[in-house]
């Protein structure tokens, strides 16, 4: 009888994100992110992936830019609707 035994090793998934960042690193990133104009510029830089941006930070920035785009589009529709209403009804907005 041929009793062949094959060892089965579970595959270990290795993260492609590199080393995890410290809490200090994320607090500094959040401080940059909440700064009004600088934060938006850094979101664009992080989304593009320059300056050695990691995959997690790149996806974070891209997701926030998508949310900002949705909010901007909604506000634009509201403002245009208001202007059209004022023009066609002839009412004073205030």
């Amino acid at each position: 009888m041929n009793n062949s035994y094959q060892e089965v090793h579970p595959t270990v998934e290795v993260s492609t994100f590199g080393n995890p960042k410290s809490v200090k690193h994320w607090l500094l990133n959040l401080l940059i992110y909440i700064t009004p104009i600088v934060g938006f510029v850094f979101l664009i830089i992080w989304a593009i992936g320059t300056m050695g941006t990691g995959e997690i930070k790149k996806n974070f920035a891209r997701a926030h830019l998508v949310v900002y785009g949705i909010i901007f589009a909604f506000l634009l529709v509201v403002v245009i609707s208001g202007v059209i209403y004022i023009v066609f009804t002839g009412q004073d907005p205030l």
Side-chain angles (χ1 to χ4, degrees):
M1 251 196 323
N2 186 4
N3 289 334
S4 63
Y5 177 73
Q6 182 180 7
E7 289 187 36
V8 177
H9 296 287
T11 58
V12 177
E13 293 184 22
V14 179
S15 174
T16 58
F17 297 127
N19 295 331
K21 304 299 182 193
S22 67
V23 173
K24 184 174 104 174
H25 174 82
W26 282 109
L27 288 175
L28 180 63
N29 285 330
L30 288 174
L31 182 65
I32 291 171
Y33 167 68
I34 64 173
T35 307
I37 296 172
V38 175
F40 186 73
V41 170
F42 266 88
L43 274 180
I44 294 172
I45 290 171
W46 292 338
I48 294 172
T50 58
M51 297 176 32
T53 305
E55 199 67 26
I56 293 174
K57 193 185 297 182
K58 188 187 297 186
N59 290 337
F60 170 83
R62 288 177 179 172
H64 274 76
L65 288 175
V66 166
V67 170
Y68 286 163
I70 292 169
I71 291 171
F72 178 76
F74 175 75
L75 291 176
L76 191 63
V77 167
V78 169
V79 168
I80 290 173
S81 299
V83 169
I84 290 172
Y85 176 77
I86 291 169
V87 167
F88 285 119
T89 60
Q91 294 181 359
D92 186 18
L94 300 176

